[in-house]
Amino acid sequence: MLSYQHAYHAGNPADVHKHVALVLLLERLAAKDKPFTVLDLHAGEGDYDLSQFAPQRTGEYRHGIEAILNAEGPPLALTPYFAAVRRLNGDGALQRYPGSPALARSYLRADDRLILNELHPTAFDNLGRWARKDARIATHRRDSLEALVALVPPTPRRGLVLIDPPYEVKGEYTNVAEKLVEAHGKWREGIYLLWYAILKERRHEPMIAALKNGIDSPMLCDEIMFTLPKRTDGVSGLLGSGLIVINPPWQFDATLTEAGDWLARIFERGRHTSVWFKKD
Ligand SMILES: C[S@@+](CC[C@H](N)C(=O)[O-])C[C@H]1O[C@@H](n2cnc3c(N)ncnc32)[C@H](O)[C@@H]1O
């Protein structure tokens, strides 16, 4: 079942939280003179035009990217993220919002690689058009969790995997944990950034327990709770956004805490927590 379309949610508080962490990791990868790979398993469409029907229908981006762009006093940790959003908008008014592929591509050097995977046929076609002619980018249309295990370790071997499922299928949390443990067994030194939805059913809790149990690398858990207007389609809305970062770079936690504390002050009824599950 592929009913999820990210355009409805692009730039919302959860997207901002995940993308801020992604950009902070990309900054660290690009700071060293060694090539890296980014494997984006749920790529979506590349970037999003916020004036289109879907983002305007939900207006979720107004509670995320629009709210923080207009807020005062962002910490230094957010500078690279804001720079990426502003670059896409030609330093003018907010019209486009970058998806994870656009953020990753903005950090690629000649020898770095970006592997984009997307299963939805329309999203995949749009992604292909967006990525075309860039020899550093490969696109795949596979099931994400099958690809997770099959495509690691990548070449270059240094790098990052983004796992960003929609969590609309029952059992997705459990499957993610199982495949992530398997992938980590094949590529222990990779950085893994896993986003999860915090819903009232709290299905993320057994997923986190399985990851703690199955993975012995350093692991950071970062969550922001917030309030979004009630959805009109009867689907239970997001209560918050969670990130698991496996093998985070040195002092990444301090930067993410600085960013997350500020974001939570801007998001409606925001609350930020960051805890180590395992630390070297
Ligand atoms: C939350 S969106 C991704 C957003 C994107 N990572 C970003 O940050 O801009 C999730 C994407 O996963 C895709 N998807 C859903 N199930 C999938 C599966 N089993 N395999 C691959 N992609 C899937 C959806 O079509 C959707 O585009």
PDB file of all heavy atoms in Angstrom, residues 235-263:
ATOM      1  N   VAL A 235      -7.134  10.141  10.212  1.00  0.00           N
ATOM      2  CA  VAL A 235      -5.877   9.459  10.560  1.00  0.00           C
ATOM      3  C   VAL A 235      -5.317  10.119  11.815  1.00  0.00           C
ATOM      4  O   VAL A 235      -5.335  11.342  11.939  1.00  0.00           O
ATOM      5  CB  VAL A 235      -4.850   9.590   9.393  1.00  0.00           C
ATOM      6  CG1 VAL A 235      -3.510   8.989   9.769  1.00  0.00           C
ATOM      7  CG2 VAL A 235      -5.400   8.949   8.139  1.00  0.00           C
ATOM      8  N   SER A 236      -4.837   9.261  12.756  1.00  0.00           N
ATOM      9  CA  SER A 236      -4.337   9.849  14.007  1.00  0.00           C
ATOM     10  C   SER A 236      -3.078  10.657  13.716  1.00  0.00           C
ATOM     11  O   SER A 236      -2.181  10.221  12.997  1.00  0.00           O
ATOM     12  CB  SER A 236      -4.088   8.762  15.040  1.00  0.00           C
ATOM     13  OG  SER A 236      -2.755   8.392  15.089  1.00  0.00           O
ATOM     14  N   GLY A 237      -3.064  11.872  14.215  1.00  0.00           N
ATOM     15  CA  GLY A 237      -2.008  12.826  13.867  1.00  0.00           C
ATOM     16  C   GLY A 237      -0.723  12.573  14.623  1.00  0.00           C
ATOM     17  O   GLY A 237      -0.671  11.814  15.591  1.00  0.00           O
ATOM     18  N   LEU A 238       0.324  13.235  14.151  1.00  0.00           N
ATOM     19  CA  LEU A 238       1.641  13.138  14.799  1.00  0.00           C
ATOM     20  C   LEU A 238       1.621  13.870  16.133  1.00  0.00           C
ATOM     21  O   LEU A 238       1.176  15.009  16.203  1.00  0.00           O
ATOM     22  CB  LEU A 238       2.666  13.875  13.935  1.00  0.00           C
ATOM     23  CG  LEU A 238       3.459  13.164  12.872  1.00  0.00           C
ATOM     24  CD1 LEU A 238       4.476  14.131  12.287  1.00  0.00           C
ATOM     25  CD2 LEU A 238       4.155  11.949  13.449  1.00  0.00           C
ATOM     26  N   LEU A 239       2.157  13.218  17.156  1.00  0.00           N
ATOM     27  CA  LEU A 239       2.340  13.900  18.436  1.00  0.00           C
ATOM     28  C   LEU A 239       3.766  14.413  18.555  1.00  0.00           C
ATOM     29  O   LEU A 239       4.068  15.293  19.352  1.00  0.00           O
ATOM     30  CB  LEU A 239       2.072  12.942  19.595  1.00  0.00           C
ATOM     31  CG  LEU A 239       0.672  12.331  19.664  1.00  0.00           C
ATOM     32  CD1 LEU A 239       0.564  11.391  20.848  1.00  0.00           C
ATOM     33  CD2 LEU A 239      -0.363  13.441  19.753  1.00  0.00           C
ATOM     34  N   GLY A 240       4.658  13.800  17.772  1.00  0.00           N
ATOM     35  CA  GLY A 240       6.054  14.220  17.857  1.00  0.00           C
ATOM     36  C   GLY A 240       6.905  13.494  16.841  1.00  0.00           C
ATOM     37  O   GLY A 240       6.432  12.628  16.089  1.00  0.00           O
ATOM     38  N   SER A 241       8.179  13.884  16.845  1.00  0.00           N
ATOM     39  CA  SER A 241       9.138  13.374  15.869  1.00  0.00           C
ATOM     40  C   SER A 241      10.322  12.787  16.631  1.00  0.00           C
ATOM     41  O   SER A 241      10.837  13.407  17.557  1.00  0.00           O
ATOM     42  CB  SER A 241       9.582  14.574  15.018  1.00  0.00           C
ATOM     43  OG  SER A 241      10.785  14.316  14.352  1.00  0.00           O
ATOM     44  N   GLY A 242      10.733  11.591  16.225  1.00  0.00           N
ATOM     45  CA  GLY A 242      11.857  10.947  16.908  1.00  0.00           C
ATOM     46  C   GLY A 242      12.969  10.598  15.939  1.00  0.00           C
ATOM     47  O   GLY A 242      12.720  10.297  14.765  1.00  0.00           O
ATOM     48  N   LEU A 243      14.190  10.636  16.439  1.00  0.00           N
ATOM     49  CA  LEU A 243      15.359  10.267  15.640  1.00  0.00           C
ATOM     50  C   LEU A 243      16.236   9.328  16.444  1.00  0.00           C
ATOM     51  O   LEU A 243      16.499   9.575  17.626  1.00  0.00           O
ATOM     52  CB  LEU A 243      16.191  11.511  15.300  1.00  0.00           C
ATOM     53  CG  LEU A 243      15.532  12.587  14.439  1.00  0.00           C
ATOM     54  CD1 LEU A 243      16.408  13.848  14.418  1.00  0.00           C
ATOM     55  CD2 LEU A 243      15.307  12.077  13.025  1.00  0.00           C
ATOM     56  N   ILE A 244      16.661   8.261  15.790  1.00  0.00           N
ATOM     57  CA  ILE A 244      17.720   7.427  16.362  1.00  0.00           C
ATOM     58  C   ILE A 244      18.938   7.647  15.486  1.00  0.00           C
ATOM     59  O   ILE A 244      18.855   7.526  14.257  1.00  0.00           O
ATOM     60  CB  ILE A 244      17.338   5.925  16.320  1.00  0.00           C
ATOM     61  CG1 ILE A 244      16.137   5.640  17.212  1.00  0.00           C
ATOM     62  CG2 ILE A 244      18.529   5.042  16.696  1.00  0.00           C
ATOM     63  CD1 ILE A 244      16.435   5.570  18.692  1.00  0.00           C
ATOM     64  N   VAL A 245      20.055   7.997  16.105  1.00  0.00           N
ATOM     65  CA  VAL A 245      21.293   8.174  15.352  1.00  0.00           C
ATOM     66  C   VAL A 245      22.287   7.138  15.865  1.00  0.00           C
ATOM     67  O   VAL A 245      22.678   7.169  17.040  1.00  0.00           O
ATOM     68  CB  VAL A 245      21.875   9.595  15.529  1.00  0.00           C
ATOM     69  CG1 VAL A 245      23.009   9.822  14.519  1.00  0.00           C
ATOM     70  CG2 VAL A 245      20.811  10.649  15.362  1.00  0.00           C
ATOM     71  N   ILE A 246      22.658   6.226  14.982  1.00  0.00           N
ATOM     72  CA  ILE A 246      23.628   5.190  15.350  1.00  0.00           C
ATOM     73  C   ILE A 246      24.997   5.642  14.844  1.00  0.00           C
ATOM     74  O   ILE A 246      25.111   6.128  13.716  1.00  0.00           O
ATOM     75  CB  ILE A 246      23.230   3.832  14.726  1.00  0.00           C
ATOM     76  CG1 ILE A 246      21.857   3.423  15.262  1.00  0.00           C
ATOM     77  CG2 ILE A 246      24.271   2.749  15.040  1.00  0.00           C
ATOM     78  CD1 ILE A 246      21.223   2.259  14.526  1.00  0.00           C
ATOM     79  N   ASN A 247      25.994   5.542  15.696  1.00  0.00           N
ATOM     80  CA  ASN A 247      27.357   6.014  15.398  1.00  0.00           C
ATOM     81  C   ASN A 247      27.411   7.513  15.119  1.00  0.00           C
ATOM     82  O   ASN A 247      27.997   7.956  14.114  1.00  0.00           O
ATOM     83  CB  ASN A 247      27.967   5.266  14.208  1.00  0.00           C
ATOM     84  CG  ASN A 247      28.221   3.804  14.519  1.00  0.00           C
ATOM     85  OD1 ASN A 247      28.620   3.467  15.646  1.00  0.00           O
ATOM     86  ND2 ASN A 247      28.007   2.922  13.556  1.00  0.00           N
ATOM     87  N   PRO A 248      26.793   8.346  15.962  1.00  0.00           N
ATOM     88  CA  PRO A 248      26.861   9.789  15.697  1.00  0.00           C
ATOM     89  C   PRO A 248      28.303  10.283  15.805  1.00  0.00           C
ATOM     90  O   PRO A 248      29.066   9.760  16.623  1.00  0.00           O
ATOM     91  CB  PRO A 248      26.003  10.407  16.812  1.00  0.00           C
ATOM     92  CG  PRO A 248      25.960   9.380  17.886  1.00  0.00           C
ATOM     93  CD  PRO A 248      26.082   8.047  17.218  1.00  0.00           C
ATOM     94  N   PRO A 249      28.697  11.283  15.005  1.00  0.00           N
ATOM     95  CA  PRO A 249      30.055  11.813  15.111  1.00  0.00           C
ATOM     96  C   PRO A 249      30.285  12.463  16.482  1.00  0.00           C
ATOM     97  O   PRO A 249      29.334  12.812  17.184  1.00  0.00           O
ATOM     98  CB  PRO A 249      30.126  12.875  14.013  1.00  0.00           C
ATOM     99  CG  PRO A 249      28.939  12.631  13.137  1.00  0.00           C
ATOM    100  CD  PRO A 249      27.914  11.926  13.957  1.00  0.00           C
ATOM    101  N   TRP A 250      31.530  12.648  16.784  1.00  0.00           N
ATOM    102  CA  TRP A 250      31.938  13.225  18.069  1.00  0.00           C
ATOM    103  C   TRP A 250      31.280  14.588  18.273  1.00  0.00           C
ATOM    104  O   TRP A 250      31.303  15.436  17.364  1.00  0.00           O
ATOM    105  CB  TRP A 250      33.476  13.368  18.071  1.00  0.00           C
ATOM    106  CG  TRP A 250      34.039  13.705  19.399  1.00  0.00           C
ATOM    107  CD1 TRP A 250      33.957  12.969  20.536  1.00  0.00           C
ATOM    108  CD2 TRP A 250      34.803  14.877  19.723  1.00  0.00           C
ATOM    109  NE1 TRP A 250      34.609  13.603  21.561  1.00  0.00           N
ATOM    110  CE2 TRP A 250      35.151  14.780  21.090  1.00  0.00           C
ATOM    111  CE3 TRP A 250      35.243  15.985  19.002  1.00  0.00           C
ATOM    112  CZ2 TRP A 250      35.904  15.752  21.747  1.00  0.00           C
ATOM    113  CZ3 TRP A 250      35.993  16.947  19.653  1.00  0.00           C
ATOM    114  CH2 TRP A 250      36.308  16.825  21.007  1.00  0.00           C
ATOM    115  N   GLN A 251      30.672  14.782  19.422  1.00  0.00           N
ATOM    116  CA  GLN A 251      30.018  16.037  19.836  1.00  0.00           C
ATOM    117  C   GLN A 251      28.798  16.422  18.982  1.00  0.00           C
ATOM    118  O   GLN A 251      28.298  17.541  19.082  1.00  0.00           O
ATOM    119  CB  GLN A 251      31.029  17.184  19.874  1.00  0.00           C
ATOM    120  CG  GLN A 251      32.033  16.970  20.997  1.00  0.00           C
ATOM    121  CD  GLN A 251      32.928  18.164  21.231  1.00  0.00           C
ATOM    122  OE1 GLN A 251      33.149  18.980  20.346  1.00  0.00           O
ATOM    123  NE2 GLN A 251      33.469  18.276  22.431  1.00  0.00           N
ATOM    124  N   PHE A 252      28.337  15.504  18.148  1.00  0.00           N
ATOM    125  CA  PHE A 252      27.106  15.751  17.380  1.00  0.00           C
ATOM    126  C   PHE A 252      25.931  15.975  18.342  1.00  0.00           C
ATOM    127  O   PHE A 252      25.042  16.794  18.085  1.00  0.00           O
ATOM    128  CB  PHE A 252      26.852  14.550  16.468  1.00  0.00           C
ATOM    129  CG  PHE A 252      25.498  14.540  15.818  1.00  0.00           C
ATOM    130  CD1 PHE A 252      25.242  15.307  14.694  1.00  0.00           C
ATOM    131  CD2 PHE A 252      24.475  13.753  16.333  1.00  0.00           C
ATOM    132  CE1 PHE A 252      23.987  15.298  14.095  1.00  0.00           C
ATOM    133  CE2 PHE A 252      23.223  13.736  15.742  1.00  0.00           C
ATOM    134  CZ  PHE A 252      22.977  14.508  14.623  1.00  0.00           C
ATOM    135  N   ASP A 253      25.946  15.258  19.459  1.00  0.00           N
ATOM    136  CA  ASP A 253      24.827  15.358  20.412  1.00  0.00           C
ATOM    137  C   ASP A 253      24.664  16.775  20.956  1.00  0.00           C
ATOM    138  O   ASP A 253      23.550  17.277  21.104  1.00  0.00           O
ATOM    139  CB  ASP A 253      24.982  14.344  21.561  1.00  0.00           C
ATOM    140  CG  ASP A 253      26.305  14.458  22.291  1.00  0.00           C
ATOM    141  OD1 ASP A 253      27.304  14.863  21.659  1.00  0.00           O
ATOM    142  OD2 ASP A 253      26.347  14.153  23.500  1.00  0.00           O
ATOM    143  N   ALA A 254      25.796  17.467  21.210  1.00  0.00           N
ATOM    144  CA  ALA A 254      25.719  18.822  21.769  1.00  0.00           C
ATOM    145  C   ALA A 254      25.088  19.768  20.744  1.00  0.00           C
ATOM    146  O   ALA A 254      24.241  20.609  21.079  1.00  0.00           O
ATOM    147  CB  ALA A 254      27.115  19.307  22.151  1.00  0.00           C
ATOM    148  N   THR A 255      25.465  19.610  19.482  1.00  0.00           N
ATOM    149  CA  THR A 255      24.932  20.493  18.432  1.00  0.00           C
ATOM    150  C   THR A 255      23.446  20.229  18.218  1.00  0.00           C
ATOM    151  O   THR A 255      22.647  21.162  18.064  1.00  0.00           O
ATOM    152  CB  THR A 255      25.685  20.248  17.099  1.00  0.00           C
ATOM    153  OG1 THR A 255      27.026  19.929  17.394  1.00  0.00           O
ATOM    154  CG2 THR A 255      25.618  21.441  16.205  1.00  0.00           C
ATOM    155  N   LEU A 256      23.082  18.959  18.213  1.00  0.00           N
ATOM    156  CA  LEU A 256      21.673  18.624  17.994  1.00  0.00           C
ATOM    157  C   LEU A 256      20.815  19.108  19.178  1.00  0.00           C
ATOM    158  O   LEU A 256      19.670  19.541  18.992  1.00  0.00           O
ATOM    159  CB  LEU A 256      21.513  17.108  17.788  1.00  0.00           C
ATOM    160  CG  LEU A 256      20.123  16.640  17.382  1.00  0.00           C
ATOM    161  CD1 LEU A 256      19.675  17.269  16.062  1.00  0.00           C
ATOM    162  CD2 LEU A 256      20.074  15.112  17.249  1.00  0.00           C
ATOM    163  N   THR A 257      21.383  19.059  20.369  1.00  0.00           N
ATOM    164  CA  THR A 257      20.635  19.534  21.541  1.00  0.00           C
ATOM    165  C   THR A 257      20.395  21.042  21.455  1.00  0.00           C
ATOM    166  O   THR A 257      19.287  21.526  21.722  1.00  0.00           O
ATOM    167  CB  THR A 257      21.412  19.195  22.840  1.00  0.00           C
ATOM    168  OG1 THR A 257      21.420  17.775  22.949  1.00  0.00           O
ATOM    169  CG2 THR A 257      20.772  19.800  24.069  1.00  0.00           C
ATOM    170  N   GLU A 258      21.431  21.749  21.015  1.00  0.00           N
ATOM    171  CA  GLU A 258      21.292  23.206  20.871  1.00  0.00           C
ATOM    172  C   GLU A 258      20.169  23.517  19.857  1.00  0.00           C
ATOM    173  O   GLU A 258      19.304  24.361  20.108  1.00  0.00           O
ATOM    174  CB  GLU A 258      22.634  23.755  20.366  1.00  0.00           C
ATOM    175  CG  GLU A 258      22.745  25.253  20.415  1.00  0.00           C
ATOM    176  CD  GLU A 258      24.018  25.756  19.705  1.00  0.00           C
ATOM    177  OE1 GLU A 258      24.608  25.011  18.887  1.00  0.00           O
ATOM    178  OE2 GLU A 258      24.380  26.899  19.949  1.00  0.00           O
ATOM    179  N   ALA A 259      20.199  22.798  18.735  1.00  0.00           N
ATOM    180  CA  ALA A 259      19.185  23.022  17.690  1.00  0.00           C
ATOM    181  C   ALA A 259      17.797  22.604  18.182  1.00  0.00           C
ATOM    182  O   ALA A 259      16.819  23.352  18.038  1.00  0.00           O
ATOM    183  CB  ALA A 259      19.561  22.235  16.434  1.00  0.00           C
ATOM    184  N   GLY A 260      17.707  21.416  18.779  1.00  0.00           N
ATOM    185  CA  GLY A 260      16.410  20.872  19.195  1.00  0.00           C
ATOM    186  C   GLY A 260      15.753  21.706  20.288  1.00  0.00           C
ATOM    187  O   GLY A 260      14.528  21.896  20.281  1.00  0.00           O
ATOM    188  N   ASP A 261      16.564  22.217  21.227  1.00  0.00           N
ATOM    189  CA  ASP A 261      15.994  23.046  22.304  1.00  0.00           C
ATOM    190  C   ASP A 261      15.338  24.295  21.719  1.00  0.00           C
ATOM    191  O   ASP A 261      14.248  24.706  22.126  1.00  0.00           O
ATOM    192  CB  ASP A 261      17.084  23.458  23.305  1.00  0.00           C
ATOM    193  CG  ASP A 261      17.493  22.308  24.220  1.00  0.00           C
ATOM    194  OD1 ASP A 261      16.844  21.236  24.166  1.00  0.00           O
ATOM    195  OD2 ASP A 261      18.474  22.474  24.986  1.00  0.00           O
ATOM    196  N   TRP A 262      16.014  24.877  20.739  1.00  0.00           N
ATOM    197  CA  TRP A 262      15.464  26.105  20.128  1.00  0.00           C
ATOM    198  C   TRP A 262      14.213  25.792  19.305  1.00  0.00           C
ATOM    199  O   TRP A 262      13.201  26.484  19.399  1.00  0.00           O
ATOM    200  CB  TRP A 262      16.535  26.792  19.272  1.00  0.00           C
ATOM    201  CG  TRP A 262      16.082  28.107  18.730  1.00  0.00           C
ATOM    202  CD1 TRP A 262      16.057  29.308  19.382  1.00  0.00           C
ATOM    203  CD2 TRP A 262      15.544  28.355  17.415  1.00  0.00           C
ATOM    204  NE1 TRP A 262      15.547  30.289  18.551  1.00  0.00           N
ATOM    205  CE2 TRP A 262      15.226  29.731  17.340  1.00  0.00           C
ATOM    206  CE3 TRP A 262      15.305  27.542  16.304  1.00  0.00           C
ATOM    207  CZ2 TRP A 262      14.694  30.318  16.195  1.00  0.00           C
ATOM    208  CZ3 TRP A 262      14.761  28.127  15.156  1.00  0.00           C
ATOM    209  CH2 TRP A 262      14.459  29.498  15.114  1.00  0.00           C
ATOM    210  N   LEU A 263      14.282  24.721  18.498  1.00  0.00           N
ATOM    211  CA  LEU A 263      13.114  24.353  17.676  1.00  0.00           C
ATOM    212  C   LEU A 263      11.885  24.134  18.561  1.00  0.00           C
ATOM    213  O   LEU A 263      10.780  24.582  18.244  1.00  0.00           O
ATOM    214  CB  LEU A 263      13.394  23.079  16.874  1.00  0.00           C
ATOM    215  CG  LEU A 263      14.396  23.178  15.726  1.00  0.00           C
ATOM    216  CD1 LEU A 263      14.660  21.792  15.132  1.00  0.00           C
ATOM    217  CD2 LEU A 263      13.912  24.134  14.646  1.00  0.00           C
TER     218      LEU A 263
END
